[in-house]
Amino acid sequence: MSEEESEVEQANVGEVQQSVPRVFWRTKEMNTRGPDIADDLLLPQVAEQTNLYSAQVRNLKSVSTDYIEMIRFTGLQILMGSLKYPQGRLYWSNDLCVPLIRNTMTRDRFFELRNHLHFVDNSARRDNTDKLWKIRPIITKVQEKCYTLPRSKHLSIDEQMIPFSGRCEYRQYVPSKPNPLGLKNFVLAARVGVVLDFEIYVGSNTLPPQDMADLGLGAGIVKLLCRTVDETCVLYTDRFFTSIKLADYLIQNKKDVYLTGTVMTNRIGPVSKKLTTDKQLKRGEWDEKVRNDEEVSVLKWKDTKAVTMLSTCIGGSPIGSCKRWCKVEKKKIDVAQPAVVKNYNTCMGGIDLCDRLIAYYRVQCVQEGGPCVHSVIS
């Protein structure tokens, strides 16, 4: 290297050294900034609102609870949901007491907190169109956690019942459900029973008026629960949700989201008249029609009874088989089964599995002397 090149290089190094700011450390406290950790937690807000509500209804006498005590209260509720005593007082009785419960909180304190449990300020301004405004904070927090869960490629949408026997204008009675009386909840779930999103039915305010007019309740609920579905997947729905309108909506707006489900014949249009009649089909036979754009398939399969399926991703092939009892041969025989039916039977049970798991440890709101009352937020 020549002397001139060496001098230029040393000059450049000097300029770089001068441009780097000096770094040094001093002994002092860091200024706090950024979001507070309490912003991500619900229980501190519950403690605050419970204190406020108790002061409002008891002549400024607050229950004076805090975040730690609300954690204990919540833990006791979960434990009681596992033990399921018929009366709340039995958890503290001399004969049947549970030491972990009695040592954590006294009976009177537990019922004092339960009777004044609140999530929002009743006196604050609110949205009158939201019928769930009193429990909206906890619903929002649970939904946000559901959105973070890993998602599979096969999801199902169905309705479930939240047992509730109290006064409520949008309480439903569905006799076919294991818990026929309560609040109807529409759920998006994975095959393993994990809840990924949900929406509680509150009547006409559940969906925007435009969606109700264009799609109806069933398809509108699917559109609502697809708000967080962005990756390629297949949605499985029963006849309450499935329709040609829903299939066309997903094709136009959610190209990577496919639909498979049972469907009523009055929701598939003129193609219902082109399908083979139930009497003409023998057990294990089916008739499949595909729309001219090859986006939608309608298939009628005869098992014990005929069932009509609609799908935007699969049809009769590949052909499978299932075991069915034959009265003539007095044994189970193999019956041909189209692929769309097999996939539906395999992937549609996520909500039923979720209901079964919840039933084992359902959190209940126990009264002091009488029987247990199911909580709205269980």
Side-chain angles (χ1 to χ4, degrees), residues 28 62 287:
K28 63 174 298 185
S62 172
D287 185 17

Side-chain angles (χ1 to χ4, degrees), residues 242-257:
T242 314
S243 66
I244 290 290
K245 285 185 177 180
L246 175 59
D248 289 336
Y249 168 78
L250 293 177
I251 291 171
Q252 297 170 8
N253 300 277
K254 295 275 188 177
K255 295 184 179 180
D256 293 332
V257 179

Side-chain angles (χ1 to χ4, degrees), residues 342-359:
K342 182 178 180 180
N343 287 7
Y344 177 83
N345 291 338
T346 303
C347 303
M348 185 57 192
I351 290 86
D352 294 334
L353 177 58
C354 174
D355 287 342
R356 191 179 75 182
L357 297 175
I358 291 176

Side-chain angles (χ1 to χ4, degrees), residues 150-167:
R151 304 192 170 211
S152 62
K153 300 297 182 181
H154 297 271
L155 310 175
S156 59
I157 294 178
D158 202 357
E159 59 184 20
Q160 68 172 187
M161 295 298 292
I162 302 175
F164 181 68
S165 57
R167 292 183 179 180

Side-chain angles (χ1 to χ4, degrees), residues 17 28 89-90 98 146 162-163 181 194 205 217 226 243 247 322 334-336 338 367 374:
Q17 292 178 349
K28 63 174 298 185
R89 290 180 176 271
L90 295 179
V98 180
C146 289
I162 302 175
L181 186 63
V194 177
N205 292 333
L217 178 60
C226 283
S243 66
C322 58
D334 290 328
V335 176
Q367 294 181 341
H374 291 285

Side-chain angles (χ1 to χ4, degrees), residues 37-318:
I37 191 173
D39 296 341
D40 242 3
L41 303 175
L42 177 64
L43 291 181
Q45 177 185 347
V46 175
E48 178 183 351
Q49 295 300 329
T50 300
N51 290 333
L52 177 61
Y53 175 72
S54 61
Q56 291 173 343
V57 299
R58 300 198 307 180
N59 195 20
L60 302 181
K61 183 181 178 182
S62 172
V63 294
S64 301
T65 187
D66 56 15
Y67 166 62
I68 300 300
E69 190 173 36
M70 293 310 301
I71 291 179
R72 295 171 181 165
F73 175 80
T74 304
L76 293 184
Q77 288 278 24
I78 296 174
L79 181 57
M80 291 175 180
S82 302
L83 299 176
K84 301 185 189 310
Y85 279 11
Q87 294 183 358
R89 290 180 176 271
L90 295 179
Y91 293 103
W92 288 270
S93 65
N94 292 329
D95 297 329
L96 299 174
C97 76
V98 180
L100 179 59
I101 294 178
R102 185 171 63 177
N103 297 335
T104 301
M105 187 177 297
T106 65
R107 179 198 63 194
D108 293 343
R109 181 59 174 174
F110 174 84
F111 286 109
E112 183 183 25
L113 293 176
R114 190 195 68 83
N115 293 337
H116 297 92
L117 183 65
H118 253 61
F119 302 96
V120 296
D121 183 4
N122 289 355
S123 60
R125 295 182 60 182
R126 61 179 182 270
D127 183 8
N128 293 326
T129 61
D130 186 7
K131 295 185 178 181
L132 297 172
W133 63 274
K134 280 199 171 184
I135 57 172
R136 180 57 62 186
I138 192 170
I139 291 177
T140 302
K141 287 293 184 182
V142 173
Q143 285 178 329
E144 290 175 354
K145 295 300 181 182
C146 289
Y147 298 158
T148 63
L149 296 174
R151 304 192 170 211
S152 62
K153 300 297 182 181
H154 297 271
L155 310 175
S156 59
I157 294 178
D158 202 357
E159 59 184 20
Q160 68 172 187
M161 295 298 292
I162 302 175
F164 181 68
S165 57
R167 292 183 179 180
C168 184
E169 59 179 315
Y170 41 88
R171 187 183 61 183
Q172 303 285 310
Y173 178 72
V174 183
S176 61
K177 296 292 184 179
N179 298 303
L181 186 63
L183 304 182
K184 184 184 292 187
N185 188 29
F186 297 105
V187 181
L188 171 70
R191 290 176 55 187
V192 294
V194 177
V195 175
L196 304 175
D197 198 0
F198 63 92
E199 191 69 29
I200 299 176
Y201 178 72
V202 293
S204 59
N205 292 333
T206 305
L207 295 176
Q210 191 62 42
D211 288 348
M212 282 291 295
D214 295 342
L215 299 173
L217 178 60
I221 288 295
V222 176
K223 176 184 176 181
L224 180 64
L225 294 180
C226 283
R227 56 196 167 193
T228 59
V229 179
D230 298 322
E231 299 180 354
T232 302
C233 69
V234 182
L235 287 178
Y236 296 88
T237 59
D238 63 15
R239 55 188 296 183
F240 177 80
F241 305 93
T242 314
S243 66
I244 290 290
K245 285 185 177 180
L246 175 59
D248 289 336
Y249 168 78
L250 293 177
I251 291 171
Q252 297 170 8
N253 300 277
K254 295 275 188 177
K255 295 184 179 180
D256 293 332
V257 179
Y258 301 97
L259 176 67
T260 296
T262 56
V263 64
M264 291 183 277
T265 55
N266 61 355
R267 291 186 178 181
I268 57 177
V271 70
S272 61
K273 298 180 180 179
K274 297 182 179 182
L275 293 172
T276 306
T277 61
D278 297 359
K279 293 183 178 180
Q280 293 174 330
L281 289 174
K282 297 181 181 179
R283 193 176 199 180
E285 296 181 345
W286 65 83
D287 185 17
E288 182 178 2
K289 305 295 182 185
V290 179
R291 204 165 65 181
N292 60 332
D293 59 0
E294 298 187 357
E295 294 285 355
V296 182
S297 167
V298 175
L299 183 146
K300 178 187 283 189
W301 176 59
K302 183 68 174 292
D303 190 11
T304 305
K305 295 182 179 180
V307 60
T308 305
M309 306 290 299
L310 183 148
S311 180
T312 62
C313 62
I314 195 171
S317 299

